[in-house]
Amino acid sequence: MKQFEANFDGLVGPTHNYAGLSFGNVASQSHATQPSNPKAAAKQGLKKAKSLADMGLIQGVLAPQERPDVHTLRRLGFSGTDADVLKKAAKQAPELLQACASASSMWTANAATVSPSADTHDGKIHFTPANLVDKLHRSLEPQTTANILKAIFADSRYFTHHQTLPAHATLGDEGAANHTRLCQAYDQAGVEIFVYGYSVIDKQAPRPQKYPARQTLEASAAIARLHRLDDDNTVFIQQNPAVIDQGVFHNDVIAVGNQNVLFFHEQAFWDSKKKLAELRAKLPGTLHLIEVPSHQVSIQDAVATYLFNTQLVTISQGEMALIAPTDCAENPRVKAYLDELLTMDTPIKQIHYFDVKQSMHNGGGPACLRLRVAMSDVELAAINQQVLLTDTLFDKLNLWVDRHYRDRLVVADLADPQLLMESRTALDELTQLLKLGSIYPFQQ
């Protein structure tokens, strides 16, 4: 059987806006209240995904969520017609309307944690949707995320779906943004790295002081148990609290891995020397640990450019490419480092730059936009084939965006009932296009 890693990119939703909801995310906060362009955002994401497909990678798409989330607004006490609910929420509790209108599901690195069949005791691919309890607007996503994943990975012979962890801060889970898998080859058992911000139970363990640590050790350990992993193929590493306080809200803002390469900033981890030694011991064979020194790239530059929120992908035997935002090329210090990286003796031989500024302005780079699933050709054949990005689907999705998306959106527009109608019309058409069934509340 052939083995590979597929990328499933989140389609940007029609309500993509800059409400600045994510405390601890510097880009999100710094662009709050600025006008957004949902149409451009969706097309930027599609272009990036299509480029990876053209490189020969397996590329799929994940549907966005229904927004504004009128169902949740009704649970919060707003009543009447849908238009009434939006009007009342905008007047009485605009922050709740903004949370219920966020298009944050576009960053599917937070959708779930995925363990491939090569790692699990039962030989199935395991999915656990993230509970995302740290942020209200993201905590509204898990049920629809689960619906979407089950509609794509439906065959129980190959795929196991778990419930989200209980929605409590003790079990705060942010999905694959804090999870990396290393291996020598995709069909071989690997080591799954769970990066956490703090331990709830261990009161003596270090923790950030300014910004929240969104992933707990307790959540990471629970997912490892659910996915039927064991100590031999798991490593739990604490994120450096000092970098969380500088805007590194997820591990994928400071580190990225693929096969036998881990690309990370020297300040990324707490107790780094000990944990990297454990990783080497658990992953026999060649392991490339590419540690970027602070004197070449500061934490500030890493956060501003999302150097580590790049996608690291295998493009041929032993050769990898970084999929980077154009912000990296525009920063002279980061660009100088990346130029040097190509001369080093590592598998990274290419760097491709993409304009995803609509996403970047809200705090998400190329790696935020995708969920990785390592699988075999047999497992791939068992998924919903309609979500795989082909030339035909790419053209259809671009036309779909042209029909339904606005090219300018401000926060005040979130109360417009017409925007809700536009969004529902778009999503209803999309579910038919991707053969997802009735995954949204308004369809049931």
Side-chain angles (χ1 to χ4, degrees):
M1 292 187 295
K2 295 181 180 178
Q3 300 276 341
F4 41 79
E5 185 174 76
N7 291 284
F8 291 84
D9 279 36
L11 294 172
V12 179
T15 63
H16 166 65
N17 70 92
Y18 301 139
L21 299 175
S22 191
F23 179 67
N25 182 327
V26 175
S28 171
Q29 292 179 278
S30 63
H31 291 91
T33 74
Q34 294 184 12
S36 65
N37 187 329
K39 182 177 291 187
K43 285 179 172 287
Q44 286 173 1
L46 279 168
K47 183 178 180 180
K48 189 267 290 184
K50 181 60 165 58
S51 296
L52 267 67
D54 290 344
M55 292 179 194
L57 301 171
I58 304 299
Q59 180 68 59
V61 294
L62 297 178
Q65 306 247 338
E66 177 190 349
R67 295 293 182 268
D69 184 353
V70 175
H71 174 72
T72 293
L73 289 172
R74 291 185 184 279
R75 289 180 61 196
L76 296 173
F78 300 104
S79 60
T81 65
D82 288 345
D84 291 336
V85 168
L86 295 173
K87 182 178 179 180
K88 291 175 182 178
K91 182 178 180 180
Q92 299 173 27
E95 70 285 353
L96 294 180
L97 174 60
Q98 291 166 19
C100 290
S102 172
S104 55
S105 66
M106 62 195 274
W107 299 302
T108 53
N110 297 118
T113 302
V114 185
S115 294
S117 55
D119 293 353
T120 63
H121 283 193
D122 61 357
K124 294 184 179 182
I125 299 177
H126 286 244
F127 297 83
T128 298
N131 60 27
L132 301 169
V133 294
D134 188 70
K135 296 289 180 284
L136 173 61
H137 64 290
R138 302 230 59 178
S139 72
L140 307 178
E141 299 173 13
Q143 184 56 60
T144 298
T145 295
N147 294 345
I148 293 169
L149 292 175
K150 289 175 182 177
I152 296 173
F153 304 94
D155 194 328
S156 61
R157 293 175 298 171
Y158 303 103
F159 311 116
T160 296
H161 296 270
H162 301 282
Q163 286 184 288
T164 58
L165 300 182
H168 188 272
T170 300
L171 296 167
D173 173 31
E174 298 281 317
N178 290 314
H179 174 262
T180 299
R181 177 181 186 254
L182 299 183
C183 59
Q184 295 300 335
Y186 292 126
D187 61 343
Q188 298 177 13
V191 175
E192 300 198 17
I193 305 171
F194 293 85
V195 182
Y196 62 95
Y198 75 110
S199 169
V200 175
I201 294 173
D202 185 357
K203 304 300 182 183
Q204 304 304 313
R207 61 184 64 195
Q209 301 302 308
K210 180 180 179 181
Y211 291 138
R214 304 184 187 184
Q215 183 86 25
T216 70
L217 172 59
E218 291 75 14
S220 296
I223 291 171
R225 289 191 295 269
L226 286 169
H227 290 197
R228 304 188 68 177
L229 308 176
D230 56 37
D231 183 65
D232 291 339
N233 65 347
T234 54
V235 175
F236 298 92
I237 303 179
Q238 182 169 5
Q239 194 173 359
N240 183 352
V243 300
I244 295 177
D245 281 338
Q246 295 178 69
V248 182
F249 54 98
H250 287 141
N251 177 64
D252 69 1
V253 181
I254 202 70
V256 62
N258 175 55
Q259 289 194 314
N260 65 350
V261 175
L262 183 63
F263 179 55
F264 62 102
H265 194 276
E266 69 170 339
Q267 296 183 47
F269 308 119
W270 183 262
D271 202 7
S272 182
K273 184 177 181 180
K274 176 182 177 182
K275 285 298 179 179
L276 293 177
E278 180 185 350
L279 177 60
R280 282 192 179 278
K282 290 182 175 179
L283 187 69
T286 303
L287 177 60
H288 299 271
L289 298 177
I290 306 174
E291 183 176 85
V292 181
S294 297
H295 73 265
Q296 286 187 273
V297 178
S298 67
I299 295 294
Q300 183 180 9
D301 281 341
V303 172
T305 64
Y306 273 30
L307 167 62
F308 299 97
N309 200 250
T310 46
Q311 292 178 245
L312 183 57
V313 298
T314 299
I315 52 176
S316 62
Q317 184 67 34
E319 187 168 319
M320 300 183 191
L322 273 179
I323 308 302
T326 52
D327 304 64
C328 288
E330 294 162 1
N331 181 298
R333 293 170 297 280
V334 171
K335 181 61 164 59
Y337 175 81
L338 288 174
D339 289 344
E340 181 182 333
L341 176 63
L342 293 178
T343 70
M344 299 179 189
D345 184 21
T346 80
I348 301 176
K349 302 300 182 185
Q350 299 179 25
I351 299 173
H352 301 276
Y353 297 99
F354 290 90
D355 179 3
V356 288
K357 288 189 182 298
Q358 284 290 317
S359 178
M360 287 285 289
H361 287 171
N362 228 355
C368 283
L369 289 164
R370 63 90 176 92
L371 181 70
R372 297 183 287 183
V373 184
M375 60 175 66
S376 68
D377 51 355
V378 173
E379 291 162 339
L380 178 66
I383 77 167
N384 175 354
Q385 301 295 300
Q386 302 304 312
V387 303
L388 296 178
L389 195 59
T390 61
D391 291 346
T392 300
L393 181 59
F394 177 72
D395 291 340
K396 287 181 177 179
L397 288 173
N398 272 285
L399 290 172
W400 172 77
V401 170
D402 287 334
R403 284 194 299 273
H404 299 293
Y405 281 51
R406 300 185 183 188
D407 57 15
R408 187 179 190 275
L409 198 67
V410 295
V411 172
D413 293 331
L414 302 178
D416 180 4
Q418 184 61 35
L419 179 64
L420 174 63
M421 293 176 62
E422 293 169 8
S423 180
R424 286 178 172 174
T425 300
L427 296 181
D428 196 47
E429 183 179 321
L430 182 67
T431 55
Q432 297 175 56
L433 179 63
L434 301 181
K435 300 294 191 292
L436 296 176
S438 299
I439 57 174
Y440 299 113
F442 78 91
Q443 296 176 315
Q444 297 167 6

